[in-house]
Amino acid sequence: MKISLIVNGKPAVVDADDAQMPLLYALRDNLGLHGPRFGCGLGQCGACTVHVDGKAARSCVLPLASVAGKKIVTLEGLGTPAKPHPLQKALIDEQAVQCGYCINGMIMQAAALLQTNKKPSEQEIKAALAENLCRCGTHVRIVRAVKRASLAV
Ligand code: FES
Ligand code: FES
């Protein structure tokens, strides 16, 4: 069955045997977008976060059929190496990345926050990222980077 989506501003069609397969699989395996990561596969770590119609969502637990026709933005749609999103630049400036596994989720969750709250307080940033897990323990630098990015936009 073919499911149509808008991915990073362009129409995309996923040919899937099972329309209940997670959106994450379609993005990574069918569309070759490797920004979203497979962490827990249970909606608990945030590594797979994307935006669906402007809101942060965990793509590992979203059936493909449930997002038919919706606008999906992945990390690839936020910025490029030549033109990074302010959050990407701030994470580099703060040297906030260790292994990097959680960073897709941190960026996508923080980007959703900045869309609704352009100048969040440290507490608001911590609350927004509370459900995004980082096994390297670089949370303090990530929060600092989100604050820095908020001052740049
Ligand atoms: S991989 Fe989706 S929340 Fe962990
Ligand atoms: S930087 Fe390694 S999990 Fe966060």
Side-chain angles (χ1 to χ4, degrees):
M1 110 176 355
K2 293 191 187 276
I3 308 254
S4 299
L5 321 163
I6 308 290
V7 180
N8 296 333
K10 295 186 187 144
V13 177
V14 177
D15 197 354
D17 292 337
D18 179 3
Q20 295 306 307
M21 84 170 176
L23 170 63
L24 177 63
Y25 297 1
L27 293 172
R28 289 184 61 87
D29 301 337
N30 297 68
L31 301 177
L33 294 167
H34 296 155
R37 302 289 175 88
F38 184 99
C40 62
L42 298 168
Q44 294 177 355
C45 75
C48 63
T49 302
V50 299
H51 294 176
V52 177
D53 286 346
K55 296 205 170 108
R58 300 199 164 181
S59 62
C60 71
V61 289
L62 270 185
L64 183 58
S66 73
V67 295
K70 298 200 174 182
K71 290 184 184 148
I72 313 295
V73 176
T74 69
L75 188 64
E76 290 87 346
L78 272 199
T80 64
K83 198 174 172 198
H85 185 278
L87 280 165
Q88 293 168 315
K89 183 171 183 323
L91 280 158
I92 294 168
D93 290 344
E94 292 289 346
Q95 291 288 288
V97 180
Q98 290 192 37
C99 81
Y101 211 87
C102 68
I103 295 299
N104 166 74
M106 295 290 186
I107 291 176
M108 298 308 289
Q109 193 72 39
L113 169 67
L114 295 183
Q115 277 170 19
T116 57
N117 181 354
K118 290 195 184 321
K119 302 285 177 225
S121 66
E122 187 174 321
Q123 282 315 312
E124 288 171 326
I125 295 168
K126 286 181 179 171
L129 297 179
E131 303 296 322
N132 286 72
L133 307 184
C134 172
R135 63 187 170 185
C136 298
T138 184
H139 302 81
V140 172
R141 287 183 182 211
I142 291 171
V143 169
R144 209 186 291 149
V146 177
K147 189 76 183 162
R148 181 192 275 248
S150 75
L151 300 174
V153 289

